[in-house]
Each structure stands twice: as structure tokens, then as C-alpha cells.
Amino acid sequence: MTVKIKDVAKRAGVSVTSVSRVLNGEKYVSEDILARVNEAIEELKYSPSHIARSLKKQKTNTIGVIVPDLTSNFYSTILSSIEENASKYGYNLIVCNIAENLSKELKYLYIFQEMRVEGIIIMHEKTNDDIVSFIQNATMPILFSSVKSPDPTFMSVLIDDYQAAFDATEYLIDAGHTAISYLGGDLQDITSGQSRYNGFRDALIKHKIAINPDYIKFGDYKLPSGQALMKELLQLSNRPTVVFAASDDMAVGALNCALDQDLKVPDDISIIGFDGSTITNIVRPAITSMQQPIYEMGQISLESLHKLIARPKTQQKTDIVLQHQLVIRDSCKKIN
Amino acid sequence: MTVKIKDVAKRAGVSVTSVSRVLNGEKYVSEDILARVNEAIEELKYSPSHIARSLKKQKTNTIGVIVPDLTSNFYSTILSSIEENASKYGYNLIVCNIAENLSKELKYLYIFQEMRVEGIIIMHEKTNDDIVSFIQNATMPILFSSVKSPDPTFMSVLIDDYQAAFDATEYLIDAGHTAISYLGGDLQDITSGQSRYNGFRDALIKHKIAINPDYIKFGDYKLPSGQALMKELLQLSNRPTVVFAASDDMAVGALNCALDQDLKVPDDISIIGFDGSTITNIVRPAITSMQQPIYEMGQISLESLHKLIARPKTQQKTDIVLQHQLVIRDSCKKIN
């Protein structure tokens, strides 16, 4: 039996006119009705011929997402949250993995434009003049998620990386640590790299703890770099008592390096991560981490982009700064 | 300075005509020239206006990929490999995460068609009549990666799941285990679920080892289900000596359940996984696993699809079965 528009209306508890308005992509439909109709379409498996028809009407209901690295647990978790929330609003999600390559990013942005996506979410921090120029001339809304927009007139959904790193460092100082190592990411990343390092540094300064240059090392946020930098740290005659890794993947790398050298974490050395990726809870000991609200970040990014798409003129484009939160697990001990 | 077509030709060491043939998407360009020209375009950041022009010419150079679950390390690793190899051939990759939802899969297939992608890779095993009908009527090549195609006239790139599970089980039997538990996935999945279980069962039958029904449990391949099923196993008065998990994520779940109950792995209980996801090497102890050649699977899937796109008529569509390999790490002990 073919599902008809009136079946969708009945299931959604709305009028046929309302369903029709949703299907035709009219902008002034309430979010409640939009959500109910899309749910009914999903449940009844309303026919693909209709979807094809709506595509022909030039209303694509599609959002493009630029991801720097799909193998990162952090990005794949935000992406799942964006995907889940996009479904609620009836958007399709097209994901392009740029493998941290700016010329790929630019190419995919042009493809998104050609596809007539209705909005774009970018999760990549590095940029160049061509990309900034694309963004400034784009005809659809663009939002930055988890990173700061290179152009202040575009909206970002992110945490306060400086404050989060500052707070994580103060937690370590409060726990009695003074020999604190910092394994950082790329200092050219203004939000994640630079701000996190500055937060760490300023917390030490505030508490009059001297920075030991041997304890400060920079990698690329990925697991192997955490492992390699930890190896260097463990060769020091005067080891730190705790390692603050600027990403959870680096924290796991550091953890494995310590465990593989038969050290006990946190008895012999403490480790704290940053991001709140699920990996922190998978390894043993589970890693204490300064958590970004990853699920919420995906949800709010999608909802904010939806608002920009529906009512582009009436929206403020100020950043949304979400609250970071320290999640204490088993990798950090008090030494006072 | 604007990069011109002759600059690309010079860098690639080919004639301007050859570059032009590549850019116009002509089919009969040698793979060597194709690769060199695309590399030169990448290196010289050849102008996006040209990319836009090629899009207008209806040659999209785009491949669509359907992924069941982006948060799975297994799929994200294949995807990285497909992405890397797609770049070599000058394809753009559009990824759609269906979150194991068949109506989303169908919707995205129609979107791919509308976008005029030149080929599609599907990594999802479950299917329905609408999807099979789409595939059978599709105008572009479609290839199944890591799973069996629902229609034998379409090509699959995969391992022999039955034989891989059989071999893994024989390895355990050779190591002296007879009390062997199996934590399976979905039996409705013909390749992964059904075949792996049958391989396990037949190895026990061959070696005249009775199957203990208390030791056979089914979940959904994901970490929490491995953890939950392991909890049930550990409550048995007569515990198995080894657990064979049908995915690495389930193996990690089982490992964490054991570690959290202060058991030692493999001293108190051994664990073996399946897939060869990077997670097996991240946790401690590192997990022995029956490995699919994940990188190679992505590479061969892309190369095979490329051949189908370039010369659709001349290609055989027989499956490519890749070799599985047991990677011995630290989670399985000999007990004989």
C-alpha cells in the first residue's frame, strides 16, 4: 500500500496543508510541526518519488559539513550529534573529510555550492585567503563548530579554550602538583593550540610556579605524538608528576607509553586530557579530562544553522560559548 | 600569479592536450597520466574557477559513500583509505552516515543520483526491496565494500568471514582452549553475523568440542554490548577460558568488563577480537584480533570502482576476496 500525504498528516496530527508546506520547503513552518511531520515521514517510509520531486524543486534540505579528520573520535562524535539533530529537522547531511588539506577544503566548499546545500558547518580551524573569500561571498549560511571562525561576522559554536585549560591547570595545582608538563598541539591554531597553551601558562604564573621548558612539548593532537613526547619526558632525570595533554588522543598516547614502560598511572605519574572524547572512558585507567560538551556542541551547531537558514535576516551572528567541564576519572592523583 | 593549464602540464611532465583530456573528464586517459596530472593540480593549487567549470560540464568526479556508523573505528579507517586513494584519481568523496537507518540510506542514494555522482560505495549490509530496486536501476556503478552485495551482479570487496572466524577459533583450540565463548553480532547480517558464527561453530564441530549454549551470546557489534554480555559470562559458575568477540569494539567492551572486576587478561580469561580496528592496539593489554586488511580494502574498493567508472562494459563484476590475518597481541594465552 502506497503511503499518501494524508497518511503522513494523520500520523503527525496536523493538516494536509501543513504537511504540504513542510514538503514544499516553505520557510515559515513552526519547528514543532516540522519535527512532527518529518518524524511521520520517517516512520511511514513516505515514498522516495516524493523526495525526488522535492529535489527537483531546488529545495535540497541538505547541509554540508567539512571535517578535518574522520578518524578522530572527537569529530566523529560531534558529527553523530549533528546527524541525529539534522534528521529531526529533515535535513540530509553530506560530509566531506578534508584530511587537514586546505585545497581539498576549498574544492569541497565549491562542490557544496554547486549542490545548492542550504548551509555549511566547518569544523576545521586552519584557513587561507581563498577559503575566507569563499565564505565572505557565500550565498548560504556558514557556521563554525568547535573552532573559531576566521571572520568575526560568522558564527562559531565553541568552548572557551583558554579558560578551560586554565581551570584544568588550577585543578592540578590544587591537587599539589608543581612539576607539570604540557603536551600541546599546533600553536598556529588560534583557538585550540594557542589559547590552551596560554591558559596553562597563565595558571602557572598566577600561582607563581616556574615553567620548566623541558616539560613543554608540542605535537599534533594525535595519539602517536602523545606517545613520542611522553617517551622524551620519561627520559628526564627530573620527571614531572603530571602530564597535561591538550587532546585526549595525546593523553592516551602518553598513557600507553607509561604503561608500556611498566609505570603505574596515576601512582607513578598522573595524566589529564582535554576534549571529553569517548576514548577517555574506554582505556584503563579511565582518563580525567577537561570535557567539551561534544553532543551539545553538535546539537546547538545544527539548531543555530537551522535558524540562520530559516530566517537569515533576523539572526544575530554572535558566537555561542558552551560550558567546559572537568570530568574526574582515574588517571590523576592528589599529592598534597 | 595565476596557475595556467601549461603550468600543470609542465609540472606533470605531459602535454597540454593530456591535461585538457583529464580536465574534460575523457574516459580514455592512462592511469599514470591521470595520477600525475591530478598530483600537479593539487601541488599548484590550480584554480577553483576551473573546478567550477568542470562541475558545470556535468562531469562531477564525485563518488558517494554510504557508511552505517561513522563513530565506528572500523568504518572510519576504511573511509580514510578510500579518501586517500580517491584523491590520487582526482575524485571527490561525499560521505553519508545513515546511522544504520535504511530509509536514510534510500534517501541518500537518491541524493547521490541527483548530484550525478559517478559511482557509489555502500558499506552497509542490511537492505530492503526499495534499496535493491534502486541499485538494479542505477545508472552509475555501485560497489559494496566490506559487506556482501544483496544482488550477485554487483561487485563486493570483502574477506571470507566464515573462514576467518573458523581460523580464529582453530587458533584458540590449538592454544588448548575448549571452554570457548562467542559474542556475536546480528545473525541477520549474512556476511558478518551469520558467516562468522557458522565459522566458529564448524571449527568446534570439527574438533569435537561441544558447544555450551551459555557461552553463545549475541549483541550489536558495539562496545557496550560486549561489556554487557561479558558481565553475564562472568556470572557463570563455570566460566569460559576465552571469549571470541565478533568485533573489536565488543572485544574492548569485554576487556573493560573483566578489568573493572579486577580480573587479569589474559591470566584469568583470554579475549580475541575481529576486524583489526586500531582500538585493538590502543587498549592495554593490546587485543589479539582476526584482522581484515582495512587499508587495502578501502584502496581496492576505490580502484575497482574507478575501473567500473572508466570502462563500465569491459569489467568483470566478480567479488574480490581479500586475505584475513590473525594478529597476535597480548590478550590471549595458551593453556596447554
Side-chain angles (χ1 to χ4, degrees), chain B residues 205-240:
Chain B
I205 291 171
K206 179 187 165 195
H207 290 272
K208 301 190 171 55
I209 296 171
I211 293 177
N212 181 341
D214 288 345
Y215 291 172
I216 313 297
K217 295 179 183 294
F218 292 93
D220 64 2
Y221 293 117
K222 294 183 185 172
L223 193 147
S225 91
Q227 203 154 12
L229 296 177
M230 184 67 160
K231 201 174 166 193
E232 293 175 25
L233 283 179
L234 294 180
Q235 283 162 353
L236 295 173
S237 54
N238 181 27
R239 286 180 184 166

Side-chain angles (χ1 to χ4, degrees), chain A residues 42 45 48-49 51-52 55-56 60 62 69-73 76-77 79-80 83-84 87 90-99 101 103-104 106-108 110-112 114-116 128 130 223 227 252 256-257 259-260 279 281-284, chain B residues 42 45 48-49 51-52 55-56 60 62 69-73 76-77 79-80 83-84 87 90-99 101 103-104 106-108 110-112 114-116 128 130 223 227 252 256-257 259-260 279 281-284:
Chain A
E42 198 79 11
K45 305 194 201 312
S49 69
I51 296 167
L55 284 170
K56 289 208 182 74
T60 63
T62 297
D69 174 17
L70 266 180
T71 61
S72 143
N73 181 270
S76 65
T77 310
L79 208 52
S80 296
E83 169 78 42
E84 188 183 325
S87 281
Y91 289 111
N92 312 306
L93 217 63
I94 300 283
V95 177
C96 291
N97 176 23
I98 58 165
N101 176 324
S103 62
K104 275 194 189 176
L106 188 63
K107 198 165 66 174
Y108 284 126
Y110 276 95
I111 290 173
F112 286 161
E114 183 70 15
M115 288 173 63
R116 307 182 311 274
N128 62 25
D130 287 341
L223 193 146
Q227 205 153 10
V252 171
N256 282 353
C257 178
L259 296 180
D260 292 347
I279 189 75
N281 224 357
I282 290 175
V283 295
R284 293 293 179 270
Chain B
E42 197 79 8
K45 304 194 200 315
S49 69
I51 297 167
L55 284 169
K56 289 207 182 75
T60 63
T62 297
D69 174 17
L70 266 182
T71 61
S72 145
N73 182 270
S76 65
T77 310
L79 206 52
S80 295
E83 168 79 42
E84 189 184 323
S87 280
Y91 290 112
N92 312 305
L93 216 63
I94 299 284
V95 177
C96 290
N97 176 24
I98 59 166
N101 176 324
S103 62
K104 273 194 191 177
L106 188 62
K107 199 165 65 173
Y108 284 125
Y110 275 95
I111 289 173
F112 286 160
E114 182 69 16
M115 285 172 64
R116 308 182 309 275
N128 62 24
D130 288 340
L223 193 147
Q227 203 154 12
V252 172
N256 282 352
C257 178
L259 296 180
D260 292 347
I279 189 76
N281 225 357
I282 290 174
V283 294
R284 293 291 181 271

Side-chain angles (χ1 to χ4, degrees), chain A residues 172-274:
Chain A
L172 301 176
I173 295 169
D174 287 347
H177 294 278
T178 53
I180 306 175
S181 163
Y182 181 82
L183 304 184
D186 190 336
L187 280 184
Q188 288 175 2
D189 286 345
I190 298 163
T191 43
S192 48
Q194 191 79 251
S195 303
R196 289 179 199 177
Y197 174 68
N198 291 348
F200 162 77
R201 183 199 57 198
D202 289 356
L204 292 195
I205 291 171
K206 179 187 164 194
H207 291 272
K208 301 189 171 55
I209 296 172
I211 294 177
N212 181 342
D214 288 346
Y215 291 173
I216 313 296
K217 296 181 181 293
F218 292 93
D220 64 2
Y221 294 118
K222 294 184 184 172
L223 193 146
S225 90
Q227 205 153 10
L229 297 178
M230 185 67 160
K231 201 173 165 194
E232 294 175 25
L233 283 179
L234 294 179
Q235 283 162 354
L236 295 173
S237 54
N238 180 28
R239 286 181 185 167
T241 57
V242 63
V243 174
F244 177 8
S247 79
D248 287 328
D249 282 342
M250 287 180 88
V252 171
L255 173 67
N256 282 353
C257 178
L259 296 180
D260 292 347
Q261 295 196 23
D262 285 328
L263 294 174
K264 289 206 189 319
V265 175
D267 292 343
D268 297 322
I269 191 163
S270 291
I271 293 172
I272 186 171
F274 196 107

Side-chain angles (χ1 to χ4, degrees), chain A residues 25-133:
Chain A
E26 288 180 35
K27 290 194 193 262
Y28 300 99
V29 175
S30 83
E31 285 176 15
D32 175 52
I33 287 180
L34 185 64
R36 276 153 66 194
V37 169
N38 278 313
E39 207 178 314
I41 287 172
E42 198 79 11
E43 286 171 1
L44 297 173
K45 305 194 201 312
Y46 187 51
S47 103
S49 69
H50 200 284
I51 296 167
R53 187 155 68 85
S54 97
L55 284 170
K56 289 208 182 74
K57 281 188 164 180
Q58 310 279 322
K59 170 86 179 163
T60 63
N61 288 324
T62 297
I63 289 172
V65 184
I66 297 283
V67 187
D69 174 17
L70 266 180
T71 61
S72 143
N73 181 270
F74 176 72
Y75 294 117
S76 65
T77 310
I78 300 188
L79 208 52
S80 296
S81 167
I82 294 176
E83 169 78 42
E84 188 183 325
N85 287 286
S87 281
K88 284 189 201 156
Y89 289 98
Y91 289 111
N92 312 306
L93 217 63
I94 300 283
V95 177
C96 291
N97 176 23
I98 58 165
E100 316 219 15
N101 176 324
L102 287 174
S103 62
K104 275 194 189 176
E105 178 168 344
L106 188 63
K107 198 165 66 174
Y108 284 126
L109 289 172
Y110 276 95
I111 290 173
F112 286 161
Q113 181 174 283
E114 183 70 15
M115 288 173 63
R116 307 182 311 274
V117 301
E118 301 195 28
I120 295 175
I121 295 177
I122 297 179
M123 300 204 259
H124 191 219
E125 171 143 27
K126 290 198 187 62
T127 195
N128 62 25
D129 291 347
D130 287 341
I131 291 172
V132 170
S133 149

Side-chain angles (χ1 to χ4, degrees), chain B residues 74-207:
Chain B
F74 176 72
Y75 293 116
S76 65
T77 310
I78 301 187
L79 206 52
S80 295
S81 168
I82 294 175
E83 168 79 42
E84 189 184 323
N85 287 285
S87 280
K88 285 189 201 156
Y89 289 99
Y91 290 112
N92 312 305
L93 216 63
I94 299 284
V95 177
C96 290
N97 176 24
I98 59 166
E100 317 219 16
N101 176 324
L102 287 173
S103 62
K104 273 194 191 177
E105 178 168 345
L106 188 62
K107 199 165 65 173
Y108 284 125
L109 289 171
Y110 275 95
I111 289 173
F112 286 160
Q113 180 174 283
E114 182 69 16
M115 285 172 64
R116 308 182 309 275
V117 300
E118 300 194 29
I120 296 175
I121 295 177
I122 297 178
M123 300 203 259
H124 192 219
E125 171 142 28
K126 291 199 187 61
T127 195
N128 62 24
D129 291 347
D130 288 340
I131 290 172
V132 171
S133 150
F134 176 94
I135 292 166
Q136 287 165 343
N137 296 305
T139 53
M140 75 292 280
I142 296 178
L143 176 147
F144 287 77
S145 183
S146 84
V147 296
K148 180 77 188 155
S149 162
D151 178 321
T153 58
F154 288 83
M155 185 175 170
S156 305
V157 178
L158 73 182
I159 61 162
D160 181 341
D161 284 84
Y162 173 87
Q163 193 59 47
F166 186 95
D167 292 349
T169 310
E170 274 208 322
Y171 167 76
L172 301 176
I173 296 168
D174 287 347
H177 293 279
T178 53
I180 305 174
S181 162
Y182 181 82
L183 305 185
D186 190 335
L187 279 183
Q188 289 176 3
D189 288 344
I190 297 162
T191 42
S192 48
Q194 192 78 252
S195 304
R196 290 180 198 176
Y197 175 68
N198 291 347
F200 161 78
R201 183 199 57 200
D202 290 356
L204 292 195
I205 291 171
K206 179 187 165 195
H207 290 272

Side-chain angles (χ1 to χ4, degrees), chain B residues 249-269:
Chain B
D249 282 341
M250 286 179 89
V252 172
L255 172 67
N256 282 352
C257 178
L259 296 180
D260 292 347
Q261 294 195 25
D262 286 327
L263 293 175
K264 289 204 190 320
V265 176
D267 292 342
D268 298 322
I269 191 162

